[in-house]
Amino acid sequence: MKWLKRAGYVLLALVVLSIPAYWWLLVESHEASSGGYAIDIAEVRKLAESQAGEKPKLIRVETVANFPVPKTIVVAGDSWQSVDLPVSSYELLYQDHTAILDAALNMSIAKSMGATFDSGAYSRMSAAMARAALIVVTHEHPDHVGGLLAQPDLKKLLFVTRLTTEQVSELKANLTTDPFAGLHLPSNLFDGYQPLDYVQYQAVAPGVVLIKAPGHTPGSQMIFVRRADGVEFLFLGDVAWQMRNIEILRGKSRLATWLASEDRNKVGAELAELHRLHAANPGLHMMPGHDAAAIDSFVKGGLLVKGF
């Protein structure tokens, strides 16, 4: 029975080794030092007023898909209880036109991610993009830009889409990799396209300002929106998946950041700044990338309208 004893020792060694691996991959989330990233909200508000015209009067939300993940993936150290992460698009309603923030995904991408898909919501989002005067995305991941790239009239939509230099560069490099490969996009898709190139902040419409936030992806940015009635939103993209990341200053699990090729230090510094900004500006409504509770709260409070 010596083999059984040896097997026991091996099993014990594996258990001992697995404990620090589990802690490192799913629990540890050191707090980033402040000062590595800053948002000058006064400057952002000034830029929101810099373009002539009426600001948006209403913001709508359309949730196209949901994918379940353990809470410890979303917030390092949380439980293994499953939570649904919504994949949503937002529509800004101006007096005589509309703008779209994020374009969710299509059915094939949703299937590849193991997400439930709402075909009716996707159709409404597609129709909204077709009539939009402006389309911007928080970053170049398939669950935020895939719904745009899947449109049959994509070349036409690119005329009103303001992708950044970093976003276009990353998309070009990944058009033939999964899950973008299933869209069968031409290699010359962006030939002649003039991407948006800016340093820190960029006003793109009355009341709408882009804020550079590289880390989750090279092209990640936040989108500040001030409505005509003065209500302010900050769409975070995937800097934070849920408000809990900001409120308790704990990022995604290291496993999640590794799978997403995220720069953990940059995102940590951004979370620290959002934590500070949230405390100093409680009237600034932050909308994380995949937070069903935040969406429901804003809808119930009349700050968002559900459905395009």
Side-chain angles (χ1 to χ4, degrees), residues 8 11 27 50 52-53 56-57 87 126 134 168 214 232 238 249 262 277 286 291 305-306 308:
L11 181 60
V27 177
S50 66
K57 59 182 181 177
V87 181
S126 297
L134 171 69
V168 170
E232 296 177 338
D238 284 359
L249 260 185
E262 179 177 289
L277 195 63
M286 294 185 177
D291 194 330
V305 175
K306 195 168 186 178
F308 287 178

Side-chain angles (χ1 to χ4, degrees), residues 296-307:
D296 289 344
S297 176
F298 291 146
V299 169
K300 288 177 182 177
L303 296 171
L304 291 178
V305 175
K306 195 168 186 178

Side-chain angles (χ1 to χ4, degrees), residues 9 38 57 91 97 127 163 168 173 196 220 238 273 288 305:
Y9 286 144
K57 59 182 181 177
E91 183 182 41
H97 64 280
L163 297 172
V168 170
L196 184 63
S220 285
D238 284 359
E273 174 63 0
V305 175

Side-chain angles (χ1 to χ4, degrees), residues 141 170 215-218 254-264:
H141 275 166
E170 287 296 303
H216 180 68
T217 67
R254 184 171 270 100
L255 177 62
T257 60
W258 175 67
L259 291 173
S261 300
E262 179 177 289
D263 187 320
R264 193 173 178 83

Side-chain angles (χ1 to χ4, degrees), residues 11 33 39-40 66 73 89 92 97 109 114 118 132 135 149 154 229 243 248 267 294:
L11 181 60
S33 59
I39 295 174
D40 184 344
N66 281 279
I73 296 294
S89 178
L92 309 183
H97 64 280
I109 294 175
D118 186 332
I135 300 172
L149 298 182
L154 176 56
D229 60 2
M243 274 305 296
I248 67 171
V267 172

